[in-house]
Structure formats: C-alpha cells, structure tokens
Amino acid sequence: MTKREFVKLKKGDILLVIRHLLNDNGQILVAENSEWKVMELEIQPHKNQIEKNQRLVHIYNDQNKQSLTISKNNSVNFVVYKRKRGPLPRE
C-alpha cells in the first residue's frame, strides 16, 4: 500500500497481508494472505511543532483474534482488499 492509500483508510476497510511480517527472532508474526479489518484510526501529536502528527491504524484479524497497529512506515506489507463505501452505521 502506498502512503497515499494509507491516508485514505477508513473504519471497516479490509486489508490483505502480501508478505510475512517477522519479529526480531525471525519468527512469523503475521502470516501472508490473512485478512485484517480496520477497527480504529488514531492521530498522535508530536511534541515539537516541526513534525506532522503521526496517524496510526488499529487493525484486527477475526480468524486468529490478533490485533495490530500500523503506521505509514510499515503499511507497505498490506494492500487494500475491500473498501467500505458510504457512511458507517451508528453504533
């Protein structure tokens, strides 16, 4: 996913992992071809005013009950699989 696609993510979008994500020990943290749903969008302000605010996306996998937080820098391993259209229903 490009940085421009990352900025356009909305709650309810489905992402597909296109390559394995590994931890520091080389073990598979997130398997490829798994679907993740965007649950929440968060903006973290920086302490200094020079840098822009950082946007974080909280995603959730229904199959293995795993959650993950991605940012613009590590979103290249994902691709938008299904995009939620229209307004979201009120909860």
Side-chain angles (χ1 to χ4, degrees), residues 12-79:
D13 289 350
I14 305 293
L15 305 178
L16 183 69
V17 180
I18 56 175
R19 58 179 78 98
H20 290 303
L21 297 178
L22 305 175
N23 62 7
D24 295 335
N25 299 330
Q27 298 173 343
I28 296 174
L29 184 64
V30 176
E32 65 182 344
N33 294 330
S34 58
E35 291 185 1
W36 294 74
K37 184 176 182 179
V38 175
M39 298 303 288
E40 184 180 353
L41 304 169
E42 178 182 348
I43 298 176
Q44 284 187 335
H46 282 286
K47 292 181 181 177
N48 57 1
Q49 296 296 329
I50 298 171
E51 297 182 24
K52 293 183 178 180
N53 295 338
Q54 183 178 14
R55 183 181 171 125
L56 299 175
V57 176
H58 301 286
I59 56 178
Y60 182 74
N61 187 343
D62 286 332
Q63 294 173 347
N64 60 4
K65 309 296 185 213
Q66 187 178 12
S67 64
L68 188 67
T69 302
I70 61 172
S71 65
K72 194 183 294 187
N73 298 330
N74 62 358
S75 65
V76 295
N77 298 318
F78 294 86
V79 66

